[in-house]
Amino acid sequence: MQGLMQRTPLLLSSLITHAARNHAGREIVGRSVEGPVVRTNWGEVEGRAKRLANALARLGVREGERVATLAWNTQRHLELYFGAIGSGVVLHTINPRLFQAQIEYMLEHAEDQYIFFDLSFAALVSALAPRIKGVRGYIALTDRAHMPAIDLPNLLCYEELLAAESAQFSWPDLDENAASILCYTSGTTGNPKGVLYSHRALLLHSFCAAAADGLGLSCMDSVLTVVPLFHANAWGLPFAAAMCGAKLVFPGAELDGGSLFALTRDEACNVVAGVPTVWFGFFDYIDRNRDKLDLGVFHLDRALVGGSAAPRSLIARFDRDFGAFLLHAWGMTETSPIATIGRLLPKHAGLDREARYDIQAKQGRPVYGVEVRIVDDAGQELPRDGVAVGHLVVRGPWVTAGYFRGEGGVVVDAENWFDTGDVATIDSDGYVTLTDRAKDIIKSGGEWISSIALENAAIGHADVLEAAVIGIPHPKWVERPLLLIRCKEGKVVTRQDMRDFLADKVARWWLPDDVIIVEDLPHTATGKLSKATLRKLYANHQIAPESAPAAAP
Ligand code: AMP
């Protein structure tokens, strides 16, 4: 027997309709690429998204076709999220930090019809244009006064395009499984692969992101969205915020600690979201300007941090400086992205701070909708005992079933489990602790050393800004850990200091055989430490003679 409820399709356009009708005046604030902070609201975003939908139709972009963005987090990029997607056009959000050759590949592979770009990327677009055949036009996300002086075929001005259109548009009744966003993952080897999200997947993901045991979002929240709109849908924040009428605050192209500090303060942000590197910069700014700054005026309550492991020291900093709870989440482009979130359980109520930080440093428990488990090399499930280490596999309605155009072949098993490429433990409460990417784990004397755990321990040192651990070949132990650290400005940490500091924090045989102080550490386009680059750079590194390899187990 069938139920008798309405079969309303789960479409992302319903979110902007809801936000505009019920939270029209709730602000969207962002630093524009032109410079000033600009203010709009959900009502205006809807009107402009509809103008954009009309413009796309006039340009001849049809349902299912792709348009690309090369853009920062701004109100215009948000309009594209709703205007393009709502009208059935697929929004291909490109990470502008990728290599030009990768961007070219993605534009060709996606067959993008138009490229919407921020002024910051005018030179990049000029360089790409002669090489990309299928693109029909380029739309600069600015007004006439700021149009870039570049010579491009079919160069259009976004504000003029919108001004010429009506703000009346009826969102089409799409199939809820229709594609909405296309986002390529940038593996360290091979071509990027496209993850193609459906409306249904991202709408369900919004419920999970907003839920009390997710981000706990409401119309009372003001959310600084540092995580880019071009990276895994900004962790679903634009959609979740529209669902509850939360205020969104966008940093534009200004991602340095000082700018983020000012925006968080001035816009009374109580929620912030971004990768750890961003917050290292934020707290470094605070450290360097401590006597001039008043932290007492902040409203910060929670920081959503993921993309790389949030070290314990960062968890403590948010707590100490702002009384804010760092919500540690894990996910990937292929999981839309939220899969686990580090909320506490009732039994943790009485924990002291230090014990609570230990729980927060784990990558969290699965949100409803995503199932997780760890398996051995043969695919057999391993126990949830917090000790067994295995390949982390996931499945659920917002987990990918396969990449765009079948790249990479079949990526899920017969029961839909997707191998994340991460290695983890799961404890009896369901908390996932990531030990490594499978390819980064250090195999020493037949045992595994977690580079993430070592990095987190090293970064706990007061003078260390950032740390990276890679395995380097060793004649006896196969691989041994090499620690690279970037010190805070004006601070010096020696190799011996670091080994002494780590001595009571990790097993003796985990102690890095060498510690190198570096000026800078390489990052990938998504802000993660680039271990592949480091492995290449230090492939022939000789362990310092006085460093006797520690005893393996
Ligand atoms: P991306 O698809 O670029 O978002 O990258 C996803 C990958 O980032 C995951 O497979 C993990 O290796 C890593 N990652 C994401 N969140 C975390 C986290 N909280 N801790 C450690 N690594 C993470």
Side-chain angles (χ1 to χ4, degrees):
M1 183 188 273
Q2 294 275 294
L4 288 173
M5 306 310 284
Q6 301 185 8
R7 297 189 177 197
T8 315
L10 303 179
L11 298 180
L12 294 170
S13 51
S14 66
L15 294 172
I16 188 66
T17 303
H18 174 81
R21 196 169 291 152
N22 300 291
H23 303 279
R26 191 65 171 133
E27 276 185 307
I28 312 291
V29 180
R31 163 127 355 243
S32 61
V33 175
E34 293 88 347
V37 169
V38 287
R39 317 186 82 82
T40 178
N41 58 43
W42 283 113
E44 286 174 9
V45 169
E46 184 197 42
R48 285 169 57 89
K50 289 187 166 185
R51 286 174 187 273
L52 175 65
N54 281 319
L56 286 169
R58 191 180 301 279
L59 290 170
V61 185
R62 294 190 304 267
E63 251 177 59
E65 288 188 324
R66 276 77 60 203
V67 298
T69 60
L70 278 166
W72 300 110
N73 286 12
T74 66
Q75 113 197 23
R76 292 186 180 119
H77 205 170
L78 184 71
E79 290 159 10
L80 275 149
Y81 256 62
F82 289 106
I85 295 169
S87 63
V89 170
V90 179
L91 193 71
H92 173 200
T93 52
I94 298 182
N95 183 342
R97 298 189 184 113
L98 291 171
F99 297 118
Q100 189 179 316
Q102 286 176 312
I103 298 180
E104 264 173 52
Y105 168 84
M106 293 187 294
L107 287 165
E108 298 273 14
H109 191 263
E111 294 181 4
D112 291 306
Q113 302 295 301
Y114 285 88
I115 302 179
F116 291 78
F117 66 97
D118 270 335
L119 295 175
S120 336
F121 308 117
L124 172 63
V125 170
S126 293
L128 287 167
R131 310 176 62 91
I132 309 295
K133 299 289 162 284
V135 175
R136 287 151 60 191
Y138 301 85
I139 298 154
L141 290 163
T142 191
D143 55 17
R144 176 51 57 189
H146 293 89
M147 279 299 278
I150 49 174
D151 185 20
L152 278 184
N154 296 329
L155 175 63
L156 301 167
C157 165
Y158 182 77
E159 288 301 330
E160 280 181 359
L161 206 62
L162 261 56
E165 300 296 338
S166 150
Q168 303 301 314
F169 184 87
S170 295
W171 302 117
D173 213 4
L174 306 166
D175 173 350
E176 63 177 18
N177 286 303
S180 57
I181 294 188
L182 174 63
C183 184
Y184 284 75
T185 61
S186 45
T188 39
T189 52
N191 283 322
K193 294 197 278 297
V195 178
L196 191 57
Y197 306 100
S198 62
H199 281 255
R200 174 189 149 85
L202 295 189
L203 195 90
L204 291 172
H205 180 271
S206 313
F207 280 110
C208 131
D213 277 339
L215 248 192
L217 271 195
S218 87
C219 62
M220 309 303 278
D221 292 320
S222 170
V223 187
L224 180 75
T225 308
V226 187
V227 52
L229 290 166
F230 57 72
H231 185 197
N233 323 310
W235 299 347
L237 288 170
F239 301 125
M243 184 173 263
C244 10
K247 169 176 168 179
L248 280 177
V249 181
F250 290 132
E254 310 289 318
L255 301 173
D256 60 283
S259 302
L260 296 181
F261 183 90
L263 211 49
T264 308
R265 178 193 58 209
D266 299 347
E267 298 306 326
C269 297
N270 64 327
V271 180
V272 295
V275 295
T277 323
V278 160
W279 307 118
F280 298 154
F282 179 83
F283 285 109
D284 188 44
Y285 171 80
I286 294 179
D287 287 342
R288 284 187 289 108
N289 299 279
R290 178 65 88 170
D291 21 333
K292 287 180 262 161
L293 304 175
D294 180 7
L295 304 189
V297 298
F298 277 73
H299 296 80
L300 205 52
D301 174 55
R302 49 208 192 276
L304 182 64
V305 180
S308 309
R312 212 168 176 284
S313 52
L314 188 64
I315 296 167
R317 257 334 266 280
F318 269 110
D319 187 24
R320 269 206 325 268
D321 285 11
F322 297 101
F325 189 91
L326 187 149
L327 264 175
H328 193 180
W330 168 84
M332 55 199 314
T333 309
E334 289 88 336
T335 64
S336 292
I338 298 177
T340 65
I341 292 198
R343 286 278 181 185
L344 299 179
L345 293 170
K347 69 178 189 187
H348 299 136
L351 288 185
D352 64 29
R353 287 197 147 143
E354 297 298 323
R356 202 186 73 207
Y357 297 160
D358 288 341
I359 310 282
Q360 285 176 263
K362 300 172 192 235
Q363 273 73 12
R365 306 168 72 239
V367 292
Y368 166 75
V370 178
E371 289 179 84
V372 306
R373 64 185 199 182
I374 46 169
V375 297
D376 63 17
D377 289 341
Q380 288 305 308
E381 185 169 4
L382 293 168
R384 293 165 188 256
D385 57 6
V387 178
V389 180
H391 304 282
L392 185 61
V393 297
V394 297
R395 66 178 178 188
W398 55 85
V399 175
T400 193
Y403 293 105
F404 188 39
R405 300 195 197 283
E407 301 293 343
V410 178
V411 296
V412 293
D413 71 11
E415 293 173 324
N416 274 338
W417 291 104
F418 172 80
D419 186 345
T420 63
D422 286 330
V423 173
T425 62
I426 304 180
D427 68 20
S428 54
D429 288 325
Y431 285 93
V432 171
T433 301
L434 232 70
T435 31
D436 258 306
R437 287 296 289 164
K439 57 185 184 309
D440 294 339
I441 206 151
I442 300 162
K443 299 173 192 89
S444 184
E447 295 285 330
W448 286 358
I449 296 177
S450 161
S451 68
I452 294 183
L454 266 179
E455 285 157 10
N456 283 350
I459 214 165
H461 191 291
D463 297 337
V464 171
L465 189 61
E466 214 179 355
V469 173
I470 53 168
I472 49 165
H474 189 279
K476 180 165 179 199
W477 304 115
V478 184
E479 276 185 332
R480 291 296 303 158
L482 169 68
L483 169 63
L484 298 123
I485 49 178
R486 197 177 139 209
C487 297
K488 290 186 179 163
E489 209 175 280
K491 306 285 181 187
V492 185
V493 183
T494 66
R495 177 173 166 277
Q496 196 52 46
D497 288 345
M498 206 61 225
R499 283 177 59 97
D500 292 347
F501 176 75
L502 291 175
D504 62 350
K505 296 180 181 62
V506 298
R508 205 175 99 75
W509 63 279
W510 277 35
L511 280 181
D513 289 46
D514 206 352
V515 181
I516 301 182
I517 315 296
V518 291
E519 286 289 300
D520 210 357
L521 284 167
H523 291 91
T524 67
T526 52
K528 300 181 212 304
L529 285 166
S530 178
K531 302 262 178 106
T533 311
L534 288 174
R535 274 193 291 265
K536 254 187 236 149
L537 280 173
Y538 293 94
N540 300 319
H541 180 73
Q542 300 292 319
I543 290 168
E546 71 271 29
S547 121

